[in-house]
């Protein structure tokens, strides 16, 4: 699979297309960059914005963070990965994002290794609540058993890992012959990255430099939405 190694200046969209066409089991790893492409804000961006406005109330911040999710939509790249899954090419998506945008876009096989707004826990009794829909309301949800605030897993656990999805990530990446690294710096990658097949090809799509630069067979320094739009045009042209 590593037939383009070192040829970084050739037609990169065609190279990406060839990688995908010759692959039978793709895994995508995604980070904040794929959601920012669709207008989203990262947890860190909202925290800085909140601090800059002088706000300190954690519940107000939590609502601002969650509420932002319902004012943007999946990016073009989210839908492109869904389409690859529907083609039978994409085995699964491993993400550190907690905004559920892969699920909202229609992807079925998503490992949210830090949890997400789909995994929620009562701050009082520890009862779990599944589904991001409980956040799409005017007030922060409360537990129907004890009345305490419900928190998304990343905040409840202080950004701990969601073990069930970590195991999915480890299994999928061990089976992948192509890994697409999209808009991520690889934080928490250590819990799954070492499980990858050593002969798997690695394509990184990210405008900036990351720790994946030295291991990627192909580095595409562009916005991921732009890349997937070009890829669709190229694949349609090639038939």
């Amino acid at each position: 699979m590593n037939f383009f190694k070192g040829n970084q200046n050739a037609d990169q969209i065609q190279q990406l297309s060839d990688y995908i066409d010759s692959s039978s089991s793709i895994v995508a790893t995604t980070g904040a960059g794929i959601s920012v492409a669709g207008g989203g804000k990262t947890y860190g961006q909202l925290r800085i914005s909140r601090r800059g406005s002088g706000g300190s109330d954690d519940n107000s911040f939590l609502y601002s963070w969650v509420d932002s999710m319902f004012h943007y939509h999946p990016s073009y790249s989210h839908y492109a990965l869904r389409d690859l899954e529907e083609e039978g090419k994409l085995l699964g998506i491993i993400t550190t994002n907690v905004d559920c945008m892969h699920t909202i876009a229609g992807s079925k096989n998503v490992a949210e290794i830090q949890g997400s707004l789909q995994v929620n826990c009562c701050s009082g009794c520890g009862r779990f609540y599944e589904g991001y829909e409980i956040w799409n309301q005017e007030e922060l949800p409360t537990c129907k058993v004890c009345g305490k605030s419900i928190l998304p897993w990343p905040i409840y656990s202080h950004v701990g890992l969601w073990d069930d999805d970590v195991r999915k990530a480890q299994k999928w990446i061990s089976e992948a012959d192509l890994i697409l690294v999209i808009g991520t710096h690889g934080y928490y990658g250590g819990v799954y990255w070492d499980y990858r097949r050593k002969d798997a090809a690695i394509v990184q799509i990210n405008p900036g430099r990351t720790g994946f630069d030295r291991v990627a067979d192909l580095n595409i320094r562009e916005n991921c939405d732009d890349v997937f739009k070009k890829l669709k045009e190229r694949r349609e042209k090639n038939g």
Side-chain angles (χ1 to χ4, degrees):
M1 288 287 293
N2 295 345
F3 41 84
F4 291 121
K5 185 74 174 179
N7 191 14
Q8 302 289 331
N9 295 320
D11 183 340
Q12 293 186 325
I13 300 302
Q14 185 61 52
Q15 292 180 38
L16 175 59
S17 180
D18 290 343
Y19 270 125
I20 290 172
D21 289 343
S22 62
S23 173
S24 59
S25 52
I26 302 170
V27 164
T29 70
T30 70
I34 195 170
S35 290
V36 169
K41 290 187 176 181
T42 67
Y43 181 94
Q45 286 172 331
L46 285 170
R47 175 64 79 184
I48 291 169
S49 174
R50 181 73 186 169
R51 186 184 304 128
S53 66
S56 59
D57 181 74
D58 285 342
N59 280 343
S60 296
F61 164 72
L62 174 59
Y63 184 76
S64 297
W65 176 49
V66 172
D67 183 60
S68 72
M69 187 185 82
F70 297 100
H71 290 87
Y72 67 94
H73 304 283
S75 67
Y76 189 95
S77 302
H78 286 107
Y79 290 115
L81 293 180
R82 176 207 61 191
D83 292 345
L84 285 176
E85 182 183 77
E86 291 179 351
E87 285 181 37
K89 285 282 190 180
L90 187 70
L91 188 62
I93 299 166
I94 303 168
T95 189
T96 52
N97 294 342
V98 301
D99 59 10
C100 311
M101 286 296 148
H102 287 297
T103 299
I104 293 171
S107 292
K108 305 299 183 185
N109 298 322
V110 184
E112 296 167 322
I113 63 173
Q114 289 184 181
S116 72
L117 298 179
Q118 300 190 87
V119 181
N120 308 288
C121 192
C122 173
S123 60
C125 66
R127 179 184 177 92
F128 276 93
Y129 291 84
E130 294 184 358
Y132 61 83
E133 293 84 0
I134 66 171
W135 297 103
N136 193 11
Q137 53 187 322
E138 294 300 321
E139 298 178 352
L140 291 174
T142 56
C143 179
K144 58 188 177 183
V145 174
C146 72
K148 297 291 187 180
S149 297
I150 295 173
L151 300 176
W153 177 257
I155 289 179
Y156 179 85
S157 66
H158 302 291
V159 199
L161 295 175
W162 186 242
D163 289 341
D164 289 350
D165 279 18
V166 168
R167 286 189 285 271
K168 286 182 191 176
Q170 292 168 347
K171 181 178 185 297
W172 292 342
I173 207 163
S174 72
E175 299 171 357
D177 58 11
L178 173 60
I179 303 169
L180 302 178
V181 180
I182 305 168
T184 179
H185 286 80
Y187 302 128
Y188 297 100
V191 301
Y192 65 83
W193 189 253
D194 288 344
Y195 288 78
R196 74 187 188 280
R197 279 174 44 175
K198 300 309 178 186
D199 64 341
I202 302 169
V203 175
Q204 177 179 217
I205 303 170
N206 199 319
R209 295 188 175 278
T210 76
F212 289 105
D213 290 1
R214 59 185 177 81
V215 297
D217 299 288
L218 177 63
N219 284 301
I220 303 178
R221 303 285 188 209
E222 295 185 53
N223 174 284
C224 55
D225 276 9
D226 293 339
V227 170
F228 280 109
K229 288 174 184 176
K230 293 175 184 177
L231 177 65
K232 182 178 180 180
E233 294 175 359
R234 182 63 57 88
R235 295 184 79 197
E236 288 177 346
K237 179 180 179 181
N238 292 346

